[in-house]
Amino acid sequence: MGIEIEDKFDVPDDYEVPDLSKFGEVLGPRSYQLVALYYDTPDLRLAARGITLRRRRGGADPGWHLKLPRAKGARQEIQLPLTRSTKIVPSELAGLVQAYTRGAALAPVAELDSRRSVRVVSGLVEVADDRVKGTVLGDEPRVERWREVEAELLEQGDPKLLAKVGKRLRKAGAVPAGTGSKLARLLKPAPPARVQVGDGTAADVVIAYLAGHVDALLAQDPRTRRAEEDAVHQMRVACRRMRSALKAFKTVVQDTVHLQDELKWLGTVLGEARDLEVIRARFARHLESLPPEQVVGPIQARLGDDLGAREEEAYGRIREALSGGRYYALLDALDGLVADPSLGKAAKKPADDVLPAIADKNWKRVTKAYDTAQTIAEPEQREIAMHDVRKAAKRARYTAEALGMGDLAKRAESIQDVLGLHQDGVVAQETLAKEAETARQAGEDTFTYGVLVGIERATAERAQADFPEVWAGVQTG
């Protein structure tokens, strides 16, 4: 697995790769023939999202390659060894694109035969000059030929050098490629459908925001299946932001109650692993900070290995959910939301006339929830009510961020953060109590559990004590 960072250029057939020796030693050119068979669904669901899945022979890295977009000019590439079969995609790679295929079969859709000439500049940037024959497969195969040049950043390469090489290639007559990949140039897949609404309208702003988070959720799906760092968190955040937006902007996009419920379901599925991930890292930091004499018994194993095993089990449940019909139906519904939403009366109005008032209304929900909590005398019930304040603050923050209202978003985030510190400390104490009881029944020393409970109690109490000052600050902000 690696991150591919490259610049692609279209060039005429008589293009001459310029002298690049001013940037360092140039090795090559070396020539290869690369023959790649590309796989997709019949309606090109992968290509429409900029994803390529291929089986390639020749060159320095033959094998199965899956390329997933990460950012402009960068893609995550996952490689597996070459297999003999050209009909069956390795299950590991097929599983990583399920969010896009959703049960549809993968089959060869195109073949690219490239005659490649490679130069390596200073050991840091590879310049590939490709003469390509592309064949669209099917009942009536179609053939296209073209030439293109790629400048790719090698491992430990300098992005500044890549930019300089690209500038030199352009000066010699290369132009930035019109498509992100050879396959897209050949197949010309239709982009995901999106409703057409008036520029600057409330619907324009809200749909753009929702579409961005649909894309974010899909992008995190394969990373979450691989349990990559922060992926499950980012996927859950995408769910929360969409759900919050659908609640807040219900006068713009309507009839989404069922979709909100399904986003809540997915967020809950993702949440178990994420919460274990966070709390395991939290306890590890605490244990590292304690003097060695205060760490007694096999507590590191219980709070590390045991919680890690539970986390892996949670990831197993995530993978099961992400491979099921309910999840596919949710993804279909999200595609439908962006392509053909049910728009309310406010949708066609200018965004500036409608949306700021919605953000202000959501902030007032925070203050109302706080006022309600302060009328409750019983401490435990007041604490539950303060959790409602936190949820209202989170929704207000997401709404403000969707509209680019940075000041309001920061005020809401400060409330969310301080109440979150308190809630995290309370949850951590509950987890430690359960783990300590398990250790006690096993005859283990539980001294260190008590130390950690003390740390977490202090964290929660400090956040609780800080809240009045934070609240006063946001009221005057």
Side-chain angles (χ1 to χ4, degrees):
M1 182 183 69
I3 302 298
E4 178 186 73
I5 301 174
E6 65 181 10
D7 293 326
K8 300 174 71 67
F9 302 94
D10 292 330
V11 298
D13 194 57
D14 60 352
Y15 180 79
E16 292 187 13
V17 177
D19 180 13
L20 301 171
S21 60
K22 65 180 292 186
F23 304 119
E25 182 183 12
V26 178
L27 300 180
R30 295 182 62 185
S31 298
Y32 303 96
Q33 181 180 9
L34 309 174
V35 180
L37 197 58
Y38 287 79
Y39 297 76
D40 207 331
T41 61
D43 54 357
L44 305 181
R45 298 179 189 181
L46 302 187
R49 294 282 185 177
I51 296 166
T52 58
L53 173 58
R54 72 188 180 201
R55 179 187 184 274
R56 190 169 78 179
R57 296 179 286 111
D61 59 346
W64 287 89
H65 303 165
L66 172 63
K67 295 187 179 183
L68 303 162
R70 287 291 295 270
K72 186 177 181 180
R75 295 194 291 177
Q76 181 179 22
E77 182 171 358
I78 301 167
Q79 299 186 8
L80 292 180
L82 199 64
T83 60
R84 296 183 64 180
S85 175
T86 61
K87 295 181 179 180
I88 301 175
V89 175
S91 59
E92 179 180 341
L93 298 186
L96 292 177
V97 295
Q98 286 183 86
Y100 306 94
T101 59
R102 301 174 199 175
L106 290 166
V109 295
E111 182 181 81
L112 293 177
D113 187 337
S114 302
R115 307 292 171 138
R116 171 167 289 185
S117 179
V118 176
R119 296 168 173 81
V120 177
V121 182
S122 195
L124 301 174
V125 173
E126 179 181 276
V127 177
D129 179 8
D130 291 341
R131 296 179 182 272
V132 186
K133 174 187 175 184
T135 305
V136 179
L137 304 177
D139 296 335
E140 298 181 4
R142 173 171 56 84
V143 176
E144 291 188 23
R145 299 177 187 271
W146 69 91
R147 187 179 175 196
E148 67 179 46
V149 172
E150 300 174 356
E152 180 178 351
L153 195 65
L154 300 179
E155 189 174 356
Q156 307 302 321
D158 182 359
K160 292 181 180 179
L161 177 59
L162 179 66
K164 291 177 181 178
V165 170
K167 184 177 180 180
R168 182 72 183 90
L169 294 173
R170 292 194 302 275
K171 190 175 181 179
V175 297
T179 57
S181 69
K182 293 181 178 68
L183 188 66
R185 174 173 181 157
L186 179 64
L187 296 179
K188 302 175 180 63
R194 181 167 164 182
V195 66
Q196 298 301 308
V197 293
D199 292 344
T201 61
D204 183 32
V205 173
V206 173
I207 295 299
Y209 179 79
L210 291 169
H213 286 293
V214 171
D215 290 343
L217 187 149
L218 289 171
Q220 295 302 328
D221 176 286
R223 298 187 64 239
T224 296
R225 293 174 191 270
R226 291 168 60 89
E228 292 183 26
E229 184 178 0
D230 203 41
V232 71
H233 170 59
Q234 293 300 329
M235 193 172 184
R236 184 166 66 156
V237 166
C239 290
R240 286 175 166 176
R241 289 180 184 274
M242 284 189 283
R243 185 165 168 250
S244 177
L246 293 174
K247 286 183 177 180
F249 303 123
K250 61 185 178 182
T251 60
V252 178
V253 179
Q254 55 189 16
D255 301 330
T256 66
V257 173
H258 177 68
L259 183 51
Q260 292 175 42
D261 290 342
E262 292 304 279
L263 286 168
K264 181 179 181 180
W265 160 75
L266 180 57
T268 301
V269 170
L270 298 168
E272 182 183 5
R274 172 59 181 170
D275 292 344
L276 287 166
E277 183 179 85
V278 168
I279 205 162
R280 185 164 60 90
R282 183 187 186 99
F283 292 156
R285 290 194 300 270
H286 289 336
L287 289 171
E288 287 175 2
S289 69
L290 292 177
E293 62 272 14
Q294 291 189 12
V295 182
V296 296
I299 186 170
Q300 288 171 313
R302 287 208 176 275
L303 298 185
D305 296 345
D306 288 2
L307 291 179
R310 287 171 53 190
E311 185 182 329
E312 182 54 40
E313 290 173 359
Y315 268 107
R317 288 187 283 275
I318 287 174
R319 295 184 187 100
E320 183 178 358
L322 298 188
S323 302
R326 184 174 183 178
Y327 178 58
Y328 297 162
L330 169 57
L331 296 180
D332 288 343
L334 290 173
D335 287 345
L337 175 72
V338 173
D340 187 24
S342 175
L343 298 177
K345 292 182 179 180
K348 295 181 180 181
K349 296 180 180 179
D352 291 343
D353 292 349
V354 175
L355 302 183
I358 294 176
D360 183 62
K361 181 179 179 181
N362 274 271
W363 176 250
K364 289 179 178 177
R365 289 180 69 250
V366 180
T367 58
K368 182 178 180 180
Y370 174 76
D371 290 342
T372 299
Q374 297 313 298
T375 65
I376 300 174
E378 206 280 316
E380 288 188 7
Q381 293 301 315
R382 189 189 312 121
E383 189 167 303
I384 293 173
M386 288 301 291
H387 186 58
D388 291 336
V389 177
R390 181 192 178 198
K391 290 192 293 184
K394 184 184 297 184
R395 178 170 162 183
R397 171 194 167 190
Y398 289 163
T399 304
E401 287 177 347
L403 304 178
M405 301 173 68
D407 180 64
L408 182 59
K410 288 180 180 178
R411 291 162 62 193
E413 185 177 11
S414 65
I415 295 298
Q416 179 188 341
D417 285 348
V418 70
L419 292 178
L421 283 173
H422 177 265
Q423 178 67 16
D424 290 347
V426 171
V427 171
Q429 290 176 67
E430 294 172 353
T431 301
L432 286 167
K434 292 178 182 177
E435 292 295 324
E437 180 57 29
T438 301
R440 186 179 297 108
Q441 292 180 4
E444 297 165 7
D445 193 319
T446 60
F447 170 79
T448 308
Y449 291 94
V451 174
L452 296 183
V453 167
I455 292 173
E456 295 294 356
R457 181 179 294 119
T459 297
E461 291 176 349
R462 185 163 55 251
Q464 197 169 39
D466 289 344
F467 183 79
E469 182 179 349
V470 173
W471 181 258
V474 301
Q475 298 308 306
T476 59

